[in-house]
Amino acid sequence: HAGRFELADQGTLLLDEIGDMPYEMQAKLLRVLQERAVTRLGGTRAIPVRARVVATTHRDLEEEIRRGAFRLDLFYRLRVVHLRLPPLRERASDVPLLVDHHLARWAARNGRAPVPVAAPVMHELQRYAWPGNVRELANLVEGVASLLPADATRIDETPPLLGRARR
């Protein structure tokens, strides 16, 4: 079967949480990135691949390199363009945009109209620290939307998680 790189040929491959990749696997990934070719498991011929690679991590890779947990050569191979996205707690102004986006996605998947969020609830969402970042926000929004009655026209109640976090 074709692997991820082969399937991503001429496209983009997302390597999520690259900082959690075992050291032994990093050498194999480096080889693929350098040679721009893969060999299928049990195969003998190299298959050329051309894919753009986007790698994400929540770890400080430079610290991981100092600890010997991440390969320096792989770090430089991956870090062609570096973007640091601050955690959601540092960009509260993004919360309303993300909430609206995830509510619209949920509504489209479920054949419903998007439901707005009351201003006091949005204020509480913006005050929350979001330790799980955007994934936590998306999960919370989907959970709240899923529990709304069919005739609901607005989200008026602060999710219980936020009330517990405040206490």
Side-chain angles (χ1 to χ4, degrees):
H1 297 284
R4 301 278 189 226
F5 273 92
E6 200 174 340
L7 292 171
D9 194 29
Q10 303 300 316
T12 303
L13 179 65
L14 172 66
L15 301 175
D16 194 20
E17 294 301 345
I18 192 78
D20 294 335
M21 179 179 275
Y23 198 83
E24 302 77 37
M25 286 296 297
Q26 293 175 30
K28 294 176 183 185
L29 174 59
L30 180 63
R31 192 171 309 113
V32 169
L33 294 174
Q34 287 175 333
E35 296 174 8
R36 297 180 189 220
V38 295
T39 303
R40 288 185 180 171
L41 190 60
T44 56
R45 91 179 156 90
I47 301 167
V49 291
R50 185 162 169 78
R52 184 177 29 246
V53 174
V54 175
T56 66
T57 187
H58 69 283
R59 296 185 185 274
D60 179 345
L61 291 183
E62 290 167 338
E63 176 59 30
E64 295 297 307
I65 291 165
R66 279 190 287 282
R67 288 181 343 124
F70 199 84
R71 295 179 59 107
L72 181 63
D73 47 1
L74 178 58
F75 175 77
Y76 286 121
R77 177 64 66 178
L78 289 171
R79 195 172 182 171
V80 176
V81 175
H82 176 246
L83 302 173
R84 182 186 176 279
L85 185 62
L88 192 52
R89 69 180 166 274
E90 293 178 16
R91 44 192 184 100
S93 62
D94 287 355
V95 170
L97 297 169
L98 291 165
V99 167
D100 291 345
H101 170 75
H102 287 290
L103 281 172
R105 286 184 63 188
W106 177 87
R109 279 194 315 268
N110 291 284
R112 291 184 57 177
V115 181
V117 176
V121 176
M122 188 63 78
H123 178 71
E124 290 301 316
L125 292 170
Q126 287 181 277
R127 288 183 52 209
Y128 181 62
W130 299 109
N133 271 313
V134 177
R135 289 180 179 136
E136 181 183 8
L137 180 138
N139 183 277
L140 180 96
V141 166
E142 184 172 333
V144 168
S146 296
L147 295 175
L148 285 174
D151 61 345
T153 58
R154 188 172 67 188
I155 297 174
D156 287 314
E157 293 184 29
T158 301
L161 168 74
L162 301 181
R164 286 192 302 273
R166 241 189 343 235
R167 282 184 242 119

